[in-house]
């Protein structure tokens, strides 16, 4: 028997019953913003070696034709295969969104699964948006529930992401509350993703998102077919919290369901790096602009950070790949100091330059009680910059660029998507502009189709 009074049950019922008209218009607008932002990141996965590897595997295992789109090569295949490939693609450029309080990247697991299924089922743009919001709301709350202890070892996007994808797909499949609870149970038992890959620059981060999107999709389809899952996969005595957290808080699972829209709290990424580097990067940029400093003026830079930043970034001392360098606080700050921002081109072309390494090696992280206490709800950026002429200069940013209070405009989101496509050569500027223009009007679409024109 399913328990229908548990937090998991309430979360499942919410995800199953959510419809477009129940979502406030500002949240709908934010969902549109997040969709366009995600699309840019998905196109940016084109020509990435680990993404191409996962895509080759997925297409070899799946049908060579079908209703759903693989964005990096515009192949058509099954929803399962497309979700897997697109989820891998949209997480590699480190430009996908993030929700601060859950330390979770919703777009990269929710949209690949939701778009693939919407294309297969012929769902409307409004149904796609509603399902995506359901996925965001579920995944974010699961991430918040699992807490800081979980994130220390587990990549929350890989773990909470399975349930987020299941919720989005389950909504599109029109599962009832009981079926959705089964879907969440099956998704949660497949949750996975460990941070150990950072130490050796392994490709696992793309595998985490590919698996989460595909496993969540599979869980929803299985539930539709009568397959059962654990009733209390989240808070049960042998559930996710029991095995993967020491500070789980079940209240977070149903916090403000239907009144507090966590989707609207999601942040965009400005720099093409791990979000833990962004607050300090913005604070350093503030100091350099205010005092008109150049990279050669920097003798030492101390970043005052939360423990999560130390846990994730600490293992990366001397990055050897472009992707690993995006988890190096020193590299990110060095690129910001040199170029004013840390974009895809800066990482690709300059992460191992002598001038970058010199600055990188003068950057350190120190745990700051104020910053740590505010985290993860607020990601404060604080730096102390010691100059070669003996000054000690302080920088502070309370809302990094991209946070809800310092967000990106639609013009900035569009420009970012076009830059990502141009860098990866995943689409021409004309193709990308047409695709983005269409996505901004997704709520008016009667049937979700292909996002990019097929090659040939």
């Amino acid at each position: 028997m399913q328990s229908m009074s548990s937090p998991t049950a309430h979360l499942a019922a919410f995800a199953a019953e959510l419809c477009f008209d129940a979502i406030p218009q500002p949240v709908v607008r934010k969902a549109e913003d997040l969709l366009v932002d995600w699309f840019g990141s998905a196109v940016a996965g084109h020509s990435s070696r680990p993404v191409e590897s996962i895509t080759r595997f997925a297409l070899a295992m799946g049908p060579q034709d079908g209703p759903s789109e693989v964005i990096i090569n515009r192949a058509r295949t099954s929803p399962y295969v497309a979700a897997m490939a697109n989820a891998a693609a949209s997480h590699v450029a480190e430009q996908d969104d993030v929700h601060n309080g859950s330390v979770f990247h919703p777009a990269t697991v929710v949209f690949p699964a939701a778009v693939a299924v919407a294309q297969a089922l012929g769902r409307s743009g409004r149904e796609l948006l509603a399902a995506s919001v359901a996925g965001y709301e579920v995944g974010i709350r699961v991430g918040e529930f699992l807490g800081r202890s979980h994130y220390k070892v587990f990549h929350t996007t890989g773990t909470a992401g399975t349930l987020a994808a299941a919720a989005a797909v389950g909504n599109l499949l029109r599962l009832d509350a009981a079926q959705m609870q089964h879907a969440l149970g099956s998704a949660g038992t497949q949750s996975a993703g460990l941070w150990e890959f950072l130490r050796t620059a392994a490709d696992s981060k793309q595998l985490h998102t590919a698996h989460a999107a595909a496993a969540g999709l599979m869980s929803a389809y299985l539930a539709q077919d009568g397959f059962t899952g654990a009733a209390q996969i989240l808070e049960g005595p042998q559930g996710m919290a029991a095995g993967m957290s020491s500070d789980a808080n079940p209240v977070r699972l149903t916090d403000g369901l239907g009144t507090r829209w966590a989707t609207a709290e999601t942040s965009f990424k400005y720099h093409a790096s791990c979000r833990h580097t962004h607050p300090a990067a913005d604070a350093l940029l503030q100091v350099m602009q205010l005092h008109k400093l150049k990279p050669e003026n920097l003798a030492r830079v101390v970043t005052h950070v939360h423990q999560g930043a130390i846990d994730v970034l600490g293992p990366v001392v001397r990055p050897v790949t472009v992707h690993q360098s995006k988890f190096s606080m020193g590299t990110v700050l060095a690129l910001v100091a040199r170029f004013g921002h840390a974009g895809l081109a800066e990482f690709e072309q300059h992460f191992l330059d002598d001038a970058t390494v010199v600055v990188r090696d003068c950057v350190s992280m120190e745990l700051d009680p104020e910053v740590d206490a505010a985290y993860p709800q607020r990601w404060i950026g604080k730096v102390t910059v010691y100059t070669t002429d003996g000054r000690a200069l302080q920088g502070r940013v309370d809302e990094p660029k991209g946070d809800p209070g310092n967000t990106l405009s639609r013009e900035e989101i569009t420009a970012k998507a076009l830059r990502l496509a141009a860098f990866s050569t995943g689409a021409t500027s004309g193709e990308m502009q047409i695709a983005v223009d269409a996505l901004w009007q997704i709520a008016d679409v009667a049937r979700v189709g292909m996002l990019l024109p097929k090659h040939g």
Side-chain angles (χ1 to χ4, degrees), residues 186-455:
S186 292
T189 205
Q190 299 179 82
S191 293
L194 297 164
W195 282 118
E196 183 62 24
F197 74 90
L198 281 172
R199 297 180 189 278
T200 56
D203 297 329
S204 307
K205 201 161 189 269
Q206 282 64 64
L207 183 61
H208 294 175
T209 55
H211 172 263
L217 182 151
M218 176 174 69
S219 298
Y221 273 88
L222 288 174
Q224 184 187 47
D225 195 50
F227 194 90
T228 62
Q232 293 178 276
I233 193 63
L234 293 164
E235 74 277 27
Q238 291 178 293
M240 289 178 68
M244 305 167 87
S245 175
S246 61
D247 64 342
N249 180 3
V251 172
R252 305 296 297 182
L253 290 173
T254 54
D255 174 34
L257 272 175
T259 56
R260 171 217 168 195
W261 295 93
T263 303
E265 303 165 0
T266 307
S267 300
F268 300 101
K269 277 189 173 184
Y270 182 66
H271 304 293
S273 60
C274 175
R275 182 65 174 176
H276 290 297
T277 66
H278 291 210
D282 286 359
L284 174 62
L285 190 59
Q286 176 194 84
V287 171
M288 296 194 67
Q289 291 175 342
L290 181 63
H291 297 279
K292 296 180 173 53
L293 301 179
K294 298 183 181 300
E296 54 267 27
N297 301 135
L298 305 179
R300 188 160 64 96
V301 179
V302 178
T303 63
H304 307 281
V305 300
H306 50 265
Q307 184 62 47
I310 294 173
D311 293 340
V312 173
L313 307 176
V316 184
V317 180
R318 290 178 174 80
V320 296
T321 67
V322 171
H323 191 257
Q324 191 186 33
S325 73
K326 297 180 179 189
F327 292 81
S328 162
M329 180 69 87
T331 301
V332 175
L333 266 61
L335 294 176
V336 166
R338 294 185 64 198
F339 303 106
H341 64 284
L344 294 177
E346 286 71 32
F347 278 103
E348 189 75 30
Q349 299 168 19
H350 301 293
F351 89 95
L352 275 181
D353 287 358
D354 290 344
T356 300
V357 171
V358 167
V359 179
R360 180 197 77 189
D361 291 346
C362 78
V363 175
S364 63
M365 292 186 289
E366 292 184 3
L367 183 65
D368 183 280
E370 180 198 11
V371 175
D372 193 56
Y375 173 82
Q377 281 68 38
R378 296 172 58 218
W379 295 38
I380 299 171
K382 292 169 64 176
V383 298
T384 302
V385 177
Y386 297 93
T387 64
T388 52
D389 60 7
R391 289 176 290 168
L393 307 172
Q394 306 293 326
R396 179 187 180 110
V397 172
D398 285 284
E399 288 191 282
K401 179 72 170 174
D403 268 9
N406 187 17
T407 193
L408 302 184
S409 67
R410 289 199 161 185
E411 290 75 18
E412 288 176 311
I413 293 168
T414 296
K416 175 183 169 184
L418 294 174
R419 283 198 308 272
L420 290 170
F423 178 83
S424 68
T425 67
T428 67
S429 59
E431 289 173 337
M432 198 65 179
Q433 188 67 62
I434 291 170
V436 167
D437 288 345
L439 283 174
W440 284 128
Q441 307 300 320
I442 193 70
D444 299 325
V445 171
R447 183 185 179 98
V448 176
M450 299 302 117
L451 306 186
L452 285 170
K454 191 168 184 178
H455 285 306

Side-chain angles (χ1 to χ4, degrees), residues 111 119-120 133 167 380:
F111 287 123
Q119 289 172 335
V133 171
I380 299 171

Side-chain angles (χ1 to χ4, degrees), residues 165-185:
V169 174
N171 185 280
L172 285 167
L173 291 175
R174 299 169 183 162
L175 302 184
D176 63 26
Q179 291 173 314
M180 185 69 84
Q181 191 170 356
H182 287 305
L184 296 184

Side-chain angles (χ1 to χ4, degrees), residues 131-153:
S132 300
V133 171
Y136 268 70
E137 297 296 321
V138 167
I140 287 168
R141 284 175 169 82
V142 171
E144 292 178 331
F145 157 73
L146 291 170
R148 292 179 61 165
S149 66
H150 178 78
Y151 187 77
K152 187 177 180 68
V153 176

